[in-house]
């Protein structure tokens, strides 16, 4: 089959188009999916450059799980496609289903996993014509949306849904979302509004209007003095995707017994914590990577009911993945960049 493989650590030159990739074979409990579209994510780029490594070597602990990554690897954590074959123990009636793949994987090679893998990191993902996955992680979706639109949902929206679930967001809460124009941030805005919460979106001036249209009640410029703009003890929940030098102010914004949920650190992973703020305000912290049970199923229901809508900023053929990732890193877009996989071959 054809697809793109990650061959090493570094820049886009480490992404190689291949026409001789082995076709995945579904084992017991698996399904084989013909990929229609796959989203571009921070995690694919972070894995490529070794950002997850805490050893500063970028080699031995640079996967999501902290283990060494097996190369070459087919990346791609966001997958929409159709089941074309099934392994032993899977109902053949599933062949033909259009599915979204749950990115947090608890079963592989017919066996339960003690700790989860992530699609495109510990196992091959969606940057190829076909991928295989345990049937339990291929969720049927009935929707009029295109494969490209559906591929904008899995990783970003399940991450957002998971954070809001962990933080127990309610209709009477005020929630601050940092990095609100990105994939997870824009998903959080929509999903928080679906719960009836009041949403404050932190974004650039150029993107404020789009965030309001998406559902944010108000916006704050990302370089603004957040405490000066909003006041101490002004929000119930912070959903943070940024971290970085301004991080301490986020805790000052939280009301006593506030909740802080985080799944990203695009402005820098090392922050300064005054532990007195944590315990004197009785704050709760939630680090969110592994999906709670039921999160992805709830996301599918929200998609099918139209409670949330896709936000596709741009599309590229799979063969142009380097350009797509460069556009993603430029951060001039709102929402998601998605790759056509079924029709994404290089032009002759």
């Amino acid at each position: 089959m054809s697809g793109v493989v990650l061959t090493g650590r570094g820049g886009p030159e480490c992404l190689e188009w291949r026409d001789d990739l082995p076709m995945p074979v579904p084992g017991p409990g698996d399904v084989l999916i013909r990929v229609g579209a796959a989203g571009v994510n921070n995690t694919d780029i972070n894995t490529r450059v070794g950002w997850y490594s805490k050893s500063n070597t970028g080699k031995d602990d640079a996967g999501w799980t902290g283990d060494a990554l097996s190369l070459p690897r087919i990346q791609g954590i966001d997958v929409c496609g159709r089941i074309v074959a099934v392994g032993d123990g899977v109902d053949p009636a599933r062949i033909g289903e259009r599915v979204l793949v749950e990115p947090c994987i608890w079963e592989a090679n017919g066996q339960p996993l003690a700790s989860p893998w992530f699609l495109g990191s510990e196992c091959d993902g969606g940057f190829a014509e076909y991928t295989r996955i345990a049937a339990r992680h291929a969720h049927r979706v009935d929707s009029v949306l295109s494969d490209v639109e559906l591929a904008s949902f899995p990783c970003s929206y399940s991450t957002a849904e998971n954070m809001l679930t962990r933080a127990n967001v309610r209709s009477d809460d005020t929630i601050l979302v940092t990095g609100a124009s990105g994939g997870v941030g824009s998903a959080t805005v929509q999903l928080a509004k679906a719960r009836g919460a009041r949403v404050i979106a932190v974004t650039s001036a150029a993107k404020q209007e789009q965030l309001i249209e998406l559902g944010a009640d108000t916006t704050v410029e990302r370089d603004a003095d957040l405490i000066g703009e909003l006041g101490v003890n002004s929000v119930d929940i912070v959903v943070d995707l940024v971290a970085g030098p301004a991080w301490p102010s986020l805790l000052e914004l939280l009301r006593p017994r506030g909740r802080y949920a985080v799944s990203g650190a695009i402005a820098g992973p090392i922050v300064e914590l005054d532990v007195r703020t944590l315990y004197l305000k009785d704050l709760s912290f939630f680090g969110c990577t592994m999906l709670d049970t039921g999160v992805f199923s709830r996301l599918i229901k929200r998609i099918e009911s139209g409670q949330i809508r896709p936000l596709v900023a741009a599309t590229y053929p799979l063969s142009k993945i380097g350009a797509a990732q460069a556009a993603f890193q430029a951060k001039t877009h709102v929402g998601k960049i998605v790759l056509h996989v079924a029709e994404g071959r290089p032009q002759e």
Side-chain angles (χ1 to χ4, degrees), residues 73-331:
R73 170 66 70 215
I74 300 170
Q75 293 186 287
I77 197 170
D78 275 333
V79 174
C80 177
R82 288 190 182 272
I83 296 174
V84 294
V86 299
D88 291 344
V90 181
D91 187 350
R94 294 204 64 185
I95 294 175
E97 283 184 6
R98 190 158 64 145
V99 295
L100 290 177
V101 179
E102 185 174 4
C104 182
I105 299 163
W106 288 96
E107 179 184 334
N109 301 318
Q111 300 295 323
L113 299 172
S115 58
W117 290 357
F118 292 88
L119 194 65
S121 179
E122 286 69 42
C123 61
D124 287 340
F127 293 165
E129 290 181 295
Y130 296 90
T131 191
R132 75 177 177 108
I133 197 71
R136 63 184 278 195
H137 294 305
H139 293 250
R140 177 172 178 160
V141 58
D142 294 311
S143 173
V144 299
L145 297 175
S146 69
D147 286 356
V148 163
E149 290 171 319
L150 288 172
S152 70
F153 287 119
C155 185
S156 294
Y157 282 72
S158 65
T159 298
E161 178 75 12
N162 197 45
M163 287 193 288
L164 298 178
T165 299
R166 294 270 186 92
N168 191 27
V169 174
R170 301 182 297 262
S171 60
D172 59 348
D173 285 326
T174 295
I175 175 172
L176 179 81
V177 183
T178 68
S181 63
V184 179
S186 58
T188 302
V189 170
Q190 288 196 64
L191 289 164
K193 289 307 297 181
R195 287 166 166 77
R198 178 174 181 265
V199 177
I200 304 170
V202 182
T203 187
S204 65
K207 300 173 183 176
Q208 288 179 330
E209 184 176 341
Q210 289 172 279
L211 269 297
I212 294 294
E213 291 175 356
L214 200 61
D217 293 279
T218 189
T219 62
V220 179
E221 289 193 37
R222 63 186 177 200
D223 295 326
D225 174 3
L226 293 179
I227 295 174
E229 291 279 341
L230 302 174
V232 173
N233 299 340
S234 57
V235 303
D236 301 289
I237 298 164
V238 169
V239 168
D240 187 22
L241 309 163
V242 175
W247 188 82
S249 64
L250 300 178
L251 305 193
E252 297 298 334
L253 293 174
L254 284 168
R255 296 183 177 117
R257 299 206 171 185
R259 290 96 78 195
Y260 170 86
V262 60
S263 70
I266 59 175
I270 308 302
V271 299
E272 183 177 284
L273 169 63
D274 186 334
V275 175
R276 294 168 297 183
T277 304
L278 173 59
Y279 72 78
L280 290 174
K281 294 180 75 170
D282 284 293
L283 302 179
S284 296
F285 283 13
F286 301 93
C288 304
T289 296
M290 295 179 285
L291 298 186
D292 285 354
T293 301
V295 163
F296 205 78
S297 295
R298 286 198 301 275
L299 177 61
I300 295 292
K301 291 178 181 177
R302 292 188 189 278
I303 294 168
E304 292 179 334
S305 68
Q307 284 188 315
I308 53 177
R309 62 185 177 91
L311 194 61
V312 177
T315 60
Y316 291 78
L318 177 60
S319 60
K320 300 296 184 184
I321 186 172
Q325 289 189 346
F328 179 90
Q329 290 179 288
K331 303 297 182 186

Side-chain angles (χ1 to χ4, degrees), residues 6 9 59 63 67-74 120-124:
L6 177 68
R9 300 289 184 194
K59 295 180 180 179
D67 296 325
L69 195 69
S70 176
L71 297 174
R73 170 66 70 215
I74 300 170
S121 179
E122 286 69 42
C123 61
D124 287 340

Side-chain angles (χ1 to χ4, degrees), residues 6 8-10 42-52 58 62-64 69 71 73 75 120-121:
L6 177 68
R9 300 289 184 194
N42 266 322
T43 181
D44 299 310
I45 297 169
N46 289 345
T47 299
R48 168 165 59 77
V49 302
W51 187 87
Y52 294 116
W64 274 57
L69 195 69
L71 297 174
R73 170 66 70 215
Q75 293 186 287
S121 179

